[in-house]
Amino acid sequence: MTMMKATVFVAPGRIELVDKPIPDIGPNDALVRITTTTICGTDVHILKGEYPVKPGLTIGHEPVGVIEKLGSAVQGYTEGQRVIAGAICPNFNSYAAQDGAPSQDGSYLIPSGQCGAHGHKATAGWRFGNMIDGTQAEYVLVPDAQANLAPIPDGLSDEQVLMCPDIMSTGFKGAENANIKLGDTVVVFAQGPIGLCATAGARLLGATTIIAVDGNDHRLGIAKVMGADVTLNFRNCDVVDEVMKLTGGRGADSSIEALGTQATWEQSLKVLKPGGTLSSLGVYSEDLKIPMAHFAAGLGDHTIRTALCPGGKERMRRLMNVLAADRLDLGVLVTHQYKLDDIVAAYELFANQRDGVLKVAIKPS
């Protein structure tokens, strides 16, 4: 077999399932047969034309599968092994990686024939479905495979590890960036899949009062399962006032913004104590404005941190360890399942957030 089914971006508002050649691999690559993948909010931004990619690119960036073929230089893996790879698959030989920011590496230089180890560019470590063909297909080429493939522990299902490549890694990074200490109060704005993982990460890091904010009571119920102590529906209350009451007027130690709107950005700053940390995970589509009074004119010792999903095999190994040790069950976030043949219908469901959807498992067969 030389051809495979793949989901490609055609034009804004239009994706199609087409036949494409199965990728040829180089010495440092691996060919992975996809057993499960999913749709991300970023994929919806691509579908709508809000994030530009080249027409004909296979989209998707969350792979779970089996090694079909290994490049000649890849060691420590076997064909037939179950693996995942991070949504962000950097070149860990790059200057950016060795400078501590592998997700922002020089991969953007590769298509022009230059060395990907050079250069720094925001989000350039994100290759699947952005710079190279992605995972909503029967097969995917994983670049720099020895650094990016992570074996799946025995006993973990595809659905259990499906959140690791992006959603779990991103949500946990939001909690890690929030400077959470034992006994902290943390407010997490938006309880979509990433926000739910941020809520779970805050609990694992030792926060003892976790306040989950959303406008959907069903998602707030799941937030309770993930570790939230208090849930606030912003449609029914003034969130900032409620947080101040809950903290005795002190404000939260940290806030995590997991949506990407001006309103949630402002509220994330307004709930902070002086010296608090705002951890931003949202993907923003326009310039942000800072509420000056709550920013203390720049004198409030606030910390604002942004993040792109960390990738690499060590990150994936640690995340799967959390699941294997029964510290967390993220299989509950997989609410729907579709065949790859029906992926257009899956996008319609997910993009319109119908039927209580959180994440959709896409199965090529």
Side-chain angles (χ1 to χ4, degrees):
M1 186 175 65
T2 60
M3 302 294 287
M4 66 175 185
K5 295 177 182 178
T7 309
V8 302
F9 171 77
V10 178
R14 184 180 167 197
I15 61 166
E16 291 182 0
L17 189 66
V18 303
D19 289 328
K20 296 183 77 167
I22 295 175
D24 292 325
I25 63 170
N28 296 312
D29 307 325
L31 182 67
V32 170
R33 175 173 58 83
I34 296 294
T35 54
T36 310
T37 186
T38 186
I39 301 170
C40 178
T42 307
D43 299 324
V44 175
H45 285 301
I46 290 172
L47 171 63
K48 293 179 178 179
E50 297 168 349
Y51 186 93
V53 300
K54 291 181 179 179
L57 185 76
T58 303
I59 52 181
H61 52 262
E62 295 159 279
V64 182
V66 174
I67 297 174
E68 185 80 8
K69 187 177 180 181
L70 286 169
S72 58
V74 182
Q75 299 179 344
Y77 300 87
T78 59
E79 293 176 359
Q81 189 173 23
R82 293 180 67 223
V83 291
I84 63 173
I88 308 301
C89 48
N91 174 354
F92 284 90
N93 294 312
S94 68
Y95 283 102
Q98 295 190 27
D99 193 34
S103 298
Q104 324 294 346
D105 77 2
S107 297
Y108 67 99
L109 296 169
I110 296 173
S112 63
Q114 301 179 67
C115 177
H118 298 270
H120 290 65
K121 185 177 181 180
T123 76
W126 168 30
R127 290 193 264 183
F128 291 139
N130 183 28
M131 298 181 194
I132 64 174
D133 280 338
T135 65
Q136 290 169 14
E138 292 181 285
Y139 295 89
V140 66
L141 181 152
V142 178
D144 297 299
Q146 194 158 327
N148 286 302
L149 286 179
I152 299 172
D154 293 340
L156 290 181
S157 69
D158 280 17
E159 284 73 18
Q160 284 175 294
V161 302
L162 183 57
M163 300 301 108
C164 294
D166 184 358
I167 301 305
M168 185 181 184
S169 187
T170 300
F172 275 31
K173 183 62 172 176
E176 290 161 333
N177 273 0
N179 293 326
I180 294 170
K181 304 180 188 69
L182 292 171
D184 271 358
T185 295
V186 181
V187 187
V188 184
F189 287 87
Q191 295 298 303
I194 286 177
L196 289 167
C197 287
T199 295
R203 180 187 63 174
L204 289 170
L205 288 172
T208 51
T209 303
I210 302 169
I211 303 167
V213 180
D214 202 278
N216 182 310
D217 285 332
H218 174 65
R219 293 189 174 195
L220 289 173
I222 298 173
K224 280 277 194 180
V225 175
M226 291 291 148
D229 301 286
V230 179
T231 59
L232 299 176
N233 188 321
F234 65 78
R235 302 181 193 279
N236 302 329
C237 68
D238 184 312
V239 170
V240 177
D241 283 351
E242 289 299 317
V243 171
M244 290 304 165
K245 291 175 185 175
L246 289 165
T247 59
R250 177 174 180 268
D253 298 289
S254 306
S255 61
I256 302 171
E257 199 287 296
L259 183 60
T261 69
Q262 178 66 38
T264 47
W265 163 265
E266 285 194 22
Q267 289 195 323
S268 296
L269 187 58
K270 289 178 179 179
V271 299
L272 281 183
K273 70 177 186 182
T277 299
L278 191 166
S279 175
S280 170
L281 295 175
V283 179
Y284 305 98
S285 57
E286 57 188 9
D287 290 345
L288 294 172
K289 298 178 181 178
I290 296 176
M292 193 55 62
H294 294 87
F295 193 53
L299 303 175
D301 278 321
H302 297 106
T303 299
I304 298 175
R305 301 186 69 183
T306 63
L308 175 62
C309 171
K313 64 184 179 184
E314 174 62 5
R315 176 70 171 184
M316 296 299 109
R317 182 189 71 83
R318 288 177 176 271
L319 296 178
M320 288 189 289
N321 276 356
V322 173
L323 303 176
D326 289 328
R327 296 294 193 271
L328 186 62
D329 178 12
L330 293 180
V332 298
L333 301 187
V334 181
T335 54
H336 295 72
Q337 181 172 310
Y338 280 77
K339 296 291 187 183
L340 181 62
D341 286 340
D342 300 319
I343 196 164
V344 174
Y347 263 91
E348 194 277 332
L349 170 81
F350 186 76
N352 291 288
Q353 291 293 289
R354 292 191 292 101
D355 194 24
V357 64
L358 284 172
K359 292 290 283 186
V360 180
I362 305 294
K363 304 275 189 176
S365 60

